[in-house]
Amino acid sequence: MTLKSIIRDMKGEIGSMSRKGFEVKIGHGLKSKSHQVVQDEPEPIDAFKQSCWANMPPELLRDVLMRIEDSESKWPPRKYVVACAGVCRNWREITKEIVLTPEVSGKLTFPISLKQPGPRDSIIQCFIKRNRTAQTYSLYLGLTPALTDNGKFLLAARKARRTTCTDYIISIDADDMSKGSGTYIGKLRSNFLGTKFTVYDSQPPYAVAMVSKSRSNRLVGSKQVTPRVPTGNYPIAHISYELNVLGSRGPRRMHCVMDGIPASAIEPGGTAPTQTEFPLSNLESFPTLPFFRSKSIRTENSLSGPLLEQKDGFLVLKNKSPRWHEQLQCWCLNFRGRVTVASVKNFQLVASPENGQAGQEHEKVLLQFGKVGKDLFTMDYQYPISAFQAFAICLSSFDTKIACE
């Protein structure tokens, strides 16, 4: 039997298992506090107990998994890579070693990839769908540049109006966007005027993160969370829109302070903190997906890269200055064909000169967002911003701004 036939047979068996066990909705199909799989929910690992792949030699397994990872470079075939990581502990560890972070590979594979910085030398193209009736927003990975496909679902957000502010609850499950759910990964909160926003992460992005006061720090999903990695609200970014008292027709002016990213990250050789695991308290909410469970996870292993110190400055982002087009009589930015509808919501963010002496790295667009349809928007981002951070910043543009329009 050749290696090519082994890979083909393995994909067929994994594909069959994916339809039965792996493609389940995260957080669903569980009993209340026992966190056990319901009887009619087949356990994915059982399908491999009698399989010929269960006792494959590690050297051969690594070669096979590397070939699968290389061949399935784009979604939806990339689901086979995720399925391989859910077979057993040995498969999971080897797959995690093979699959590189988005910074290096430019690929979004596992859910934790949404918390990791994007690629350095390219952009990740996504789009956002807005549901006005339900007040929800869904982020998808674009599979074709023409936006003619449904895309790969990444994140969802639900708008919740309160007396003095507005919250956008962000989840990795479009069907469960409650803050008490294990699929909750963060939120965006605005002030009353919609001019100032704070992005909160459910886990600390770096070692010295300060958790904000909230009841979610104590209870998540009606159970006490682990004190090692408390699930709460960790501020990672602050967004402000300048007041526009004169009612100018110019675009909104934004100012973003990325609390979780050092200013040196945009310089050659600079690095940004990279989360490598979900906290233990969140992992307990994914019993149907074996890949999310690991007894070896500890707080000190949840991050990679240098830790931020108080003396380090944070990355500051600002709008790229638009140019006035005399013929069109409007402000224009070059979105390279990714934006087709004029809107006050459209923006491009670059590093502010506040981060140091202006250079070529300050001209690179790190995040751009724009309208292409009534309820369809594009979102492109790259290093050192993650998909979660980019999505949260874009959500702030949807909010009504009384004093900025």
Side-chain angles (χ1 to χ4, degrees), residues 154-184:
L154 300 179
L155 291 170
R158 176 176 56 84
K159 185 177 182 178
R161 294 186 179 275
R162 306 187 186 282
T163 306
T164 59
C165 64
T166 300
D167 282 350
Y168 291 83
I169 306 300
I170 304 176
S171 170
I172 58 176
D173 188 350
D175 296 325
D176 187 2
M177 287 184 281
S178 60
K179 191 174 179 181
S181 169
T183 60
Y184 165 80

PDB file of all heavy atoms in Angstrom, residues 154-184:
ATOM      1  N   LEU A 154     -16.364  32.165  11.368  1.00  0.00           N
ATOM      2  CA  LEU A 154     -15.309  32.356  12.364  1.00  0.00           C
ATOM      3  C   LEU A 154     -15.865  32.820  13.707  1.00  0.00           C
ATOM      4  O   LEU A 154     -15.648  32.179  14.724  1.00  0.00           O
ATOM      5  CB  LEU A 154     -14.286  33.385  11.845  1.00  0.00           C
ATOM      6  CG  LEU A 154     -13.559  33.057  10.547  1.00  0.00           C
ATOM      7  CD1 LEU A 154     -12.613  34.192  10.161  1.00  0.00           C
ATOM      8  CD2 LEU A 154     -12.797  31.738  10.666  1.00  0.00           C
ATOM      9  N   LEU A 155     -16.575  33.947  13.706  1.00  0.00           N
ATOM     10  CA  LEU A 155     -17.063  34.540  14.955  1.00  0.00           C
ATOM     11  C   LEU A 155     -18.450  35.131  14.739  1.00  0.00           C
ATOM     12  O   LEU A 155     -18.858  35.409  13.610  1.00  0.00           O
ATOM     13  CB  LEU A 155     -16.113  35.645  15.435  1.00  0.00           C
ATOM     14  CG  LEU A 155     -14.735  35.228  15.931  1.00  0.00           C
ATOM     15  CD1 LEU A 155     -13.848  36.453  16.126  1.00  0.00           C
ATOM     16  CD2 LEU A 155     -14.831  34.440  17.230  1.00  0.00           C
ATOM     17  N   ALA A 156     -19.155  35.338  15.843  1.00  0.00           N
ATOM     18  CA  ALA A 156     -20.462  35.989  15.808  1.00  0.00           C
ATOM     19  C   ALA A 156     -20.562  36.951  16.978  1.00  0.00           C
ATOM     20  O   ALA A 156     -19.921  36.767  18.022  1.00  0.00           O
ATOM     21  CB  ALA A 156     -21.585  34.953  15.864  1.00  0.00           C
ATOM     22  N   ALA A 157     -21.356  37.989  16.807  1.00  0.00           N
ATOM     23  CA  ALA A 157     -21.560  38.984  17.861  1.00  0.00           C
ATOM     24  C   ALA A 157     -23.036  39.353  17.930  1.00  0.00           C
ATOM     25  O   ALA A 157     -23.728  39.383  16.911  1.00  0.00           O
ATOM     26  CB  ALA A 157     -20.714  40.231  17.611  1.00  0.00           C
ATOM     27  N   ARG A 158     -23.497  39.636  19.134  1.00  0.00           N
ATOM     28  CA  ARG A 158     -24.883  40.055  19.347  1.00  0.00           C
ATOM     29  C   ARG A 158     -24.895  41.380  20.087  1.00  0.00           C
ATOM     30  O   ARG A 158     -24.207  41.554  21.092  1.00  0.00           O
ATOM     31  CB  ARG A 158     -25.647  39.003  20.156  1.00  0.00           C
ATOM     32  CG  ARG A 158     -27.081  39.405  20.510  1.00  0.00           C
ATOM     33  CD  ARG A 158     -27.780  38.266  21.233  1.00  0.00           C
ATOM     34  NE  ARG A 158     -27.036  37.841  22.414  1.00  0.00           N
ATOM     35  CZ  ARG A 158     -27.132  38.437  23.606  1.00  0.00           C
ATOM     36  NH1 ARG A 158     -27.921  39.486  23.766  1.00  0.00           N
ATOM     37  NH2 ARG A 158     -26.425  37.984  24.639  1.00  0.00           N
ATOM     38  N   LYS A 159     -25.668  42.326  19.572  1.00  0.00           N
ATOM     39  CA  LYS A 159     -25.750  43.656  20.162  1.00  0.00           C
ATOM     40  C   LYS A 159     -26.764  43.663  21.282  1.00  0.00           C
ATOM     41  O   LYS A 159     -27.886  43.171  21.129  1.00  0.00           O
ATOM     42  CB  LYS A 159     -26.134  44.672  19.084  1.00  0.00           C
ATOM     43  CG  LYS A 159     -26.127  46.121  19.548  1.00  0.00           C
ATOM     44  CD  LYS A 159     -26.436  47.047  18.389  1.00  0.00           C
ATOM     45  CE  LYS A 159     -26.388  48.508  18.816  1.00  0.00           C
ATOM     46  NZ  LYS A 159     -26.644  49.416  17.662  1.00  0.00           N
ATOM     47  N   ALA A 160     -26.383  44.219  22.433  1.00  0.00           N
ATOM     48  CA  ALA A 160     -27.273  44.299  23.585  1.00  0.00           C
ATOM     49  C   ALA A 160     -27.256  45.730  24.120  1.00  0.00           C
ATOM     50  O   ALA A 160     -26.230  46.199  24.624  1.00  0.00           O
ATOM     51  CB  ALA A 160     -26.834  43.308  24.669  1.00  0.00           C
ATOM     52  N   ARG A 161     -28.362  46.424  23.986  1.00  0.00           N
ATOM     53  CA  ARG A 161     -28.458  47.802  24.461  1.00  0.00           C
ATOM     54  C   ARG A 161     -28.748  47.838  25.964  1.00  0.00           C
ATOM     55  O   ARG A 161     -29.570  47.083  26.463  1.00  0.00           O
ATOM     56  CB  ARG A 161     -29.569  48.552  23.715  1.00  0.00           C
ATOM     57  CG  ARG A 161     -29.287  48.755  22.236  1.00  0.00           C
ATOM     58  CD  ARG A 161     -30.348  49.625  21.595  1.00  0.00           C
ATOM     59  NE  ARG A 161     -30.097  49.850  20.187  1.00  0.00           N
ATOM     60  CZ  ARG A 161     -29.311  50.798  19.704  1.00  0.00           C
ATOM     61  NH1 ARG A 161     -28.683  51.611  20.551  1.00  0.00           N
ATOM     62  NH2 ARG A 161     -29.136  50.948  18.405  1.00  0.00           N
ATOM     63  N   ARG A 162     -28.046  48.718  26.638  1.00  0.00           N
ATOM     64  CA  ARG A 162     -28.261  48.910  28.065  1.00  0.00           C
ATOM     65  C   ARG A 162     -28.542  50.389  28.321  1.00  0.00           C
ATOM     66  O   ARG A 162     -28.519  51.206  27.393  1.00  0.00           O
ATOM     67  CB  ARG A 162     -27.051  48.426  28.858  1.00  0.00           C
ATOM     68  CG  ARG A 162     -26.662  46.987  28.524  1.00  0.00           C
ATOM     69  CD  ARG A 162     -25.579  46.454  29.424  1.00  0.00           C
ATOM     70  NE  ARG A 162     -25.118  45.124  29.013  1.00  0.00           N
ATOM     71  CZ  ARG A 162     -25.769  43.999  29.256  1.00  0.00           C
ATOM     72  NH1 ARG A 162     -26.914  44.030  29.934  1.00  0.00           N
ATOM     73  NH2 ARG A 162     -25.299  42.841  28.843  1.00  0.00           N
ATOM     74  N   THR A 163     -28.815  50.721  29.562  1.00  0.00           N
ATOM     75  CA  THR A 163     -29.213  52.094  29.879  1.00  0.00           C
ATOM     76  C   THR A 163     -28.121  53.097  29.573  1.00  0.00           C
ATOM     77  O   THR A 163     -28.375  54.152  28.979  1.00  0.00           O
ATOM     78  CB  THR A 163     -29.604  52.199  31.369  1.00  0.00           C
ATOM     79  OG1 THR A 163     -30.599  51.226  31.668  1.00  0.00           O
ATOM     80  CG2 THR A 163     -30.133  53.597  31.685  1.00  0.00           C
ATOM     81  N   THR A 164     -26.920  52.795  29.944  1.00  0.00           N
ATOM     82  CA  THR A 164     -25.815  53.752  29.798  1.00  0.00           C
ATOM     83  C   THR A 164     -24.765  53.340  28.782  1.00  0.00           C
ATOM     84  O   THR A 164     -23.795  54.063  28.575  1.00  0.00           O
ATOM     85  CB  THR A 164     -25.123  53.959  31.150  1.00  0.00           C
ATOM     86  OG1 THR A 164     -24.623  52.701  31.630  1.00  0.00           O
ATOM     87  CG2 THR A 164     -26.101  54.528  32.175  1.00  0.00           C
ATOM     88  N   CYS A 165     -24.920  52.161  28.163  1.00  0.00           N
ATOM     89  CA  CYS A 165     -23.902  51.685  27.220  1.00  0.00           C
ATOM     90  C   CYS A 165     -24.511  50.666  26.275  1.00  0.00           C
ATOM     91  O   CYS A 165     -25.691  50.320  26.374  1.00  0.00           O
ATOM     92  CB  CYS A 165     -22.718  51.074  27.973  1.00  0.00           C
ATOM     93  SG  CYS A 165     -23.153  49.592  28.913  1.00  0.00           S
ATOM     94  N   THR A 166     -23.687  50.200  25.367  1.00  0.00           N
ATOM     95  CA  THR A 166     -24.070  49.135  24.439  1.00  0.00           C
ATOM     96  C   THR A 166     -22.988  48.066  24.460  1.00  0.00           C
ATOM     97  O   THR A 166     -21.805  48.381  24.385  1.00  0.00           O
ATOM     98  CB  THR A 166     -24.238  49.677  23.007  1.00  0.00           C
ATOM     99  OG1 THR A 166     -25.261  50.674  22.997  1.00  0.00           O
ATOM    100  CG2 THR A 166     -24.631  48.557  22.063  1.00  0.00           C
ATOM    101  N   ASP A 167     -23.393  46.814  24.582  1.00  0.00           N
ATOM    102  CA  ASP A 167     -22.466  45.688  24.583  1.00  0.00           C
ATOM    103  C   ASP A 167     -22.616  44.876  23.309  1.00  0.00           C
ATOM    104  O   ASP A 167     -23.737  44.692  22.802  1.00  0.00           O
ATOM    105  CB  ASP A 167     -22.710  44.771  25.783  1.00  0.00           C
ATOM    106  CG  ASP A 167     -22.129  45.330  27.064  1.00  0.00           C
ATOM    107  OD1 ASP A 167     -21.379  46.325  26.985  1.00  0.00           O
ATOM    108  OD2 ASP A 167     -22.434  44.789  28.146  1.00  0.00           O
ATOM    109  N   TYR A 168     -21.480  44.395  22.800  1.00  0.00           N
ATOM    110  CA  TYR A 168     -21.468  43.431  21.705  1.00  0.00           C
ATOM    111  C   TYR A 168     -20.810  42.163  22.244  1.00  0.00           C
ATOM    112  O   TYR A 168     -19.597  42.135  22.471  1.00  0.00           O
ATOM    113  CB  TYR A 168     -20.686  43.966  20.507  1.00  0.00           C
ATOM    114  CG  TYR A 168     -21.343  45.125  19.790  1.00  0.00           C
ATOM    115  CD1 TYR A 168     -21.200  46.424  20.265  1.00  0.00           C
ATOM    116  CD2 TYR A 168     -22.097  44.924  18.639  1.00  0.00           C
ATOM    117  CE1 TYR A 168     -21.790  47.495  19.609  1.00  0.00           C
ATOM    118  CE2 TYR A 168     -22.696  45.989  17.970  1.00  0.00           C
ATOM    119  CZ  TYR A 168     -22.538  47.275  18.463  1.00  0.00           C
ATOM    120  OH  TYR A 168     -23.127  48.329  17.813  1.00  0.00           O
ATOM    121  N   ILE A 169     -21.606  41.132  22.482  1.00  0.00           N
ATOM    122  CA  ILE A 169     -21.091  39.874  23.002  1.00  0.00           C
ATOM    123  C   ILE A 169     -20.533  39.056  21.841  1.00  0.00           C
ATOM    124  O   ILE A 169     -21.230  38.804  20.853  1.00  0.00           O
ATOM    125  CB  ILE A 169     -22.194  39.076  23.725  1.00  0.00           C
ATOM    126  CG1 ILE A 169     -22.847  39.951  24.807  1.00  0.00           C
ATOM    127  CG2 ILE A 169     -21.630  37.805  24.326  1.00  0.00           C
ATOM    128  CD1 ILE A 169     -21.896  40.428  25.865  1.00  0.00           C
ATOM    129  N   ILE A 170     -19.276  38.639  21.929  1.00  0.00           N
ATOM    130  CA  ILE A 170     -18.600  37.939  20.841  1.00  0.00           C
ATOM    131  C   ILE A 170     -18.414  36.470  21.224  1.00  0.00           C
ATOM    132  O   ILE A 170     -17.935  36.150  22.316  1.00  0.00           O
ATOM    133  CB  ILE A 170     -17.242  38.587  20.530  1.00  0.00           C
ATOM    134  CG1 ILE A 170     -17.436  40.074  20.204  1.00  0.00           C
ATOM    135  CG2 ILE A 170     -16.553  37.874  19.372  1.00  0.00           C
ATOM    136  CD1 ILE A 170     -16.140  40.826  19.985  1.00  0.00           C
ATOM    137  N   SER A 171     -18.791  35.578  20.313  1.00  0.00           N
ATOM    138  CA  SER A 171     -18.767  34.142  20.580  1.00  0.00           C
ATOM    139  C   SER A 171     -18.227  33.395  19.373  1.00  0.00           C
ATOM    140  O   SER A 171     -18.251  33.888  18.244  1.00  0.00           O
ATOM    141  CB  SER A 171     -20.183  33.651  20.915  1.00  0.00           C
ATOM    142  OG  SER A 171     -20.248  32.229  20.967  1.00  0.00           O
ATOM    143  N   ILE A 172     -17.760  32.172  19.606  1.00  0.00           N
ATOM    144  CA  ILE A 172     -17.311  31.318  18.511  1.00  0.00           C
ATOM    145  C   ILE A 172     -18.435  30.394  18.050  1.00  0.00           C
ATOM    146  O   ILE A 172     -18.212  29.518  17.222  1.00  0.00           O
ATOM    147  CB  ILE A 172     -16.074  30.482  18.904  1.00  0.00           C
ATOM    148  CG1 ILE A 172     -16.368  29.622  20.129  1.00  0.00           C
ATOM    149  CG2 ILE A 172     -14.878  31.356  19.132  1.00  0.00           C
ATOM    150  CD1 ILE A 172     -15.218  28.702  20.507  1.00  0.00           C
ATOM    151  N   ASP A 173     -19.638  30.583  18.584  1.00  0.00           N
ATOM    152  CA  ASP A 173     -20.801  29.793  18.200  1.00  0.00           C
ATOM    153  C   ASP A 173     -21.932  30.752  17.849  1.00  0.00           C
ATOM    154  O   ASP A 173     -22.393  31.519  18.701  1.00  0.00           O
ATOM    155  CB  ASP A 173     -21.220  28.860  19.336  1.00  0.00           C
ATOM    156  CG  ASP A 173     -22.307  27.881  18.914  1.00  0.00           C
ATOM    157  OD1 ASP A 173     -22.856  28.062  17.799  1.00  0.00           O
ATOM    158  OD2 ASP A 173     -22.607  26.952  19.679  1.00  0.00           O
ATOM    159  N   ALA A 174     -22.392  30.715  16.619  1.00  0.00           N
ATOM    160  CA  ALA A 174     -23.440  31.633  16.171  1.00  0.00           C
ATOM    161  C   ALA A 174     -24.773  31.346  16.833  1.00  0.00           C
ATOM    162  O   ALA A 174     -25.654  32.222  16.876  1.00  0.00           O
ATOM    163  CB  ALA A 174     -23.599  31.544  14.654  1.00  0.00           C
ATOM    164  N   ASP A 175     -24.958  30.141  17.372  1.00  0.00           N
ATOM    165  CA  ASP A 175     -26.231  29.776  17.989  1.00  0.00           C
ATOM    166  C   ASP A 175     -26.227  29.940  19.504  1.00  0.00           C
ATOM    167  O   ASP A 175     -27.248  29.686  20.153  1.00  0.00           O
ATOM    168  CB  ASP A 175     -26.583  28.320  17.648  1.00  0.00           C
ATOM    169  CG  ASP A 175     -26.798  28.126  16.152  1.00  0.00           C
ATOM    170  OD1 ASP A 175     -27.324  29.061  15.515  1.00  0.00           O
ATOM    171  OD2 ASP A 175     -26.433  27.058  15.636  1.00  0.00           O
ATOM    172  N   ASP A 176     -25.110  30.334  20.067  1.00  0.00           N
ATOM    173  CA  ASP A 176     -25.037  30.502  21.522  1.00  0.00           C
ATOM    174  C   ASP A 176     -24.156  31.711  21.822  1.00  0.00           C
ATOM    175  O   ASP A 176     -22.949  31.598  21.979  1.00  0.00           O
ATOM    176  CB  ASP A 176     -24.448  29.243  22.170  1.00  0.00           C
ATOM    177  CG  ASP A 176     -24.512  29.299  23.694  1.00  0.00           C
ATOM    178  OD1 ASP A 176     -25.040  30.296  24.233  1.00  0.00           O
ATOM    179  OD2 ASP A 176     -24.043  28.351  24.348  1.00  0.00           O
ATOM    180  N   MET A 177     -24.791  32.878  21.903  1.00  0.00           N
ATOM    181  CA  MET A 177     -24.047  34.114  22.135  1.00  0.00           C
ATOM    182  C   MET A 177     -24.391  34.723  23.486  1.00  0.00           C
ATOM    183  O   MET A 177     -24.605  35.919  23.624  1.00  0.00           O
ATOM    184  CB  MET A 177     -24.318  35.114  20.997  1.00  0.00           C
ATOM    185  CG  MET A 177     -23.652  34.741  19.703  1.00  0.00           C
ATOM    186  SD  MET A 177     -23.867  35.953  18.382  1.00  0.00           S
ATOM    187  CE  MET A 177     -25.521  35.556  17.836  1.00  0.00           C
ATOM    188  N   SER A 178     -24.420  33.880  24.503  1.00  0.00           N
ATOM    189  CA  SER A 178     -24.649  34.353  25.863  1.00  0.00           C
ATOM    190  C   SER A 178     -23.322  34.453  26.585  1.00  0.00           C
ATOM    191  O   SER A 178     -22.405  33.661  26.349  1.00  0.00           O
ATOM    192  CB  SER A 178     -25.578  33.398  26.618  1.00  0.00           C
ATOM    193  OG  SER A 178     -25.007  32.101  26.683  1.00  0.00           O
ATOM    194  N   LYS A 179     -23.219  35.414  27.475  1.00  0.00           N
ATOM    195  CA  LYS A 179     -21.951  35.639  28.166  1.00  0.00           C
ATOM    196  C   LYS A 179     -21.610  34.508  29.124  1.00  0.00           C
ATOM    197  O   LYS A 179     -20.440  34.268  29.434  1.00  0.00           O
ATOM    198  CB  LYS A 179     -22.007  36.969  28.916  1.00  0.00           C
ATOM    199  CG  LYS A 179     -20.662  37.421  29.431  1.00  0.00           C
ATOM    200  CD  LYS A 179     -20.726  38.800  30.040  1.00  0.00           C
ATOM    201  CE  LYS A 179     -19.361  39.226  30.569  1.00  0.00           C
ATOM    202  NZ  LYS A 179     -19.393  40.552  31.190  1.00  0.00           N
ATOM    203  N   GLY A 180     -22.612  33.798  29.614  1.00  0.00           N
ATOM    204  CA  GLY A 180     -22.355  32.696  30.535  1.00  0.00           C
ATOM    205  C   GLY A 180     -21.970  31.405  29.845  1.00  0.00           C
ATOM    206  O   GLY A 180     -21.691  30.415  30.496  1.00  0.00           O
ATOM    207  N   SER A 181     -21.925  31.420  28.515  1.00  0.00           N
ATOM    208  CA  SER A 181     -21.604  30.210  27.772  1.00  0.00           C
ATOM    209  C   SER A 181     -20.094  30.001  27.690  1.00  0.00           C
ATOM    210  O   SER A 181     -19.309  30.942  27.753  1.00  0.00           O
ATOM    211  CB  SER A 181     -22.199  30.306  26.363  1.00  0.00           C
ATOM    212  OG  SER A 181     -21.709  29.269  25.546  1.00  0.00           O
ATOM    213  N   GLY A 182     -19.703  28.749  27.500  1.00  0.00           N
ATOM    214  CA  GLY A 182     -18.288  28.434  27.321  1.00  0.00           C
ATOM    215  C   GLY A 182     -17.755  28.885  25.987  1.00  0.00           C
ATOM    216  O   GLY A 182     -16.542  28.874  25.779  1.00  0.00           O
ATOM    217  N   THR A 183     -18.630  29.282  25.070  1.00  0.00           N
ATOM    218  CA  THR A 183     -18.193  29.751  23.761  1.00  0.00           C
ATOM    219  C   THR A 183     -17.945  31.255  23.744  1.00  0.00           C
ATOM    220  O   THR A 183     -17.530  31.797  22.719  1.00  0.00           O
ATOM    221  CB  THR A 183     -19.245  29.408  22.688  1.00  0.00           C
ATOM    222  OG1 THR A 183     -20.488  30.034  23.022  1.00  0.00           O
ATOM    223  CG2 THR A 183     -19.449  27.901  22.609  1.00  0.00           C
ATOM    224  N   TYR A 184     -18.203  31.938  24.847  1.00  0.00           N
ATOM    225  CA  TYR A 184     -17.955  33.383  24.948  1.00  0.00           C
ATOM    226  C   TYR A 184     -16.455  33.636  24.993  1.00  0.00           C
ATOM    227  O   TYR A 184     -15.725  33.032  25.786  1.00  0.00           O
ATOM    228  CB  TYR A 184     -18.623  33.921  26.215  1.00  0.00           C
ATOM    229  CG  TYR A 184     -18.159  35.297  26.643  1.00  0.00           C
ATOM    230  CD1 TYR A 184     -18.653  36.435  26.019  1.00  0.00           C
ATOM    231  CD2 TYR A 184     -17.240  35.460  27.685  1.00  0.00           C
ATOM    232  CE1 TYR A 184     -18.252  37.695  26.417  1.00  0.00           C
ATOM    233  CE2 TYR A 184     -16.831  36.717  28.087  1.00  0.00           C
ATOM    234  CZ  TYR A 184     -17.340  37.831  27.444  1.00  0.00           C
ATOM    235  OH  TYR A 184     -16.936  39.087  27.834  1.00  0.00           O
TER     236      TYR A 184
END
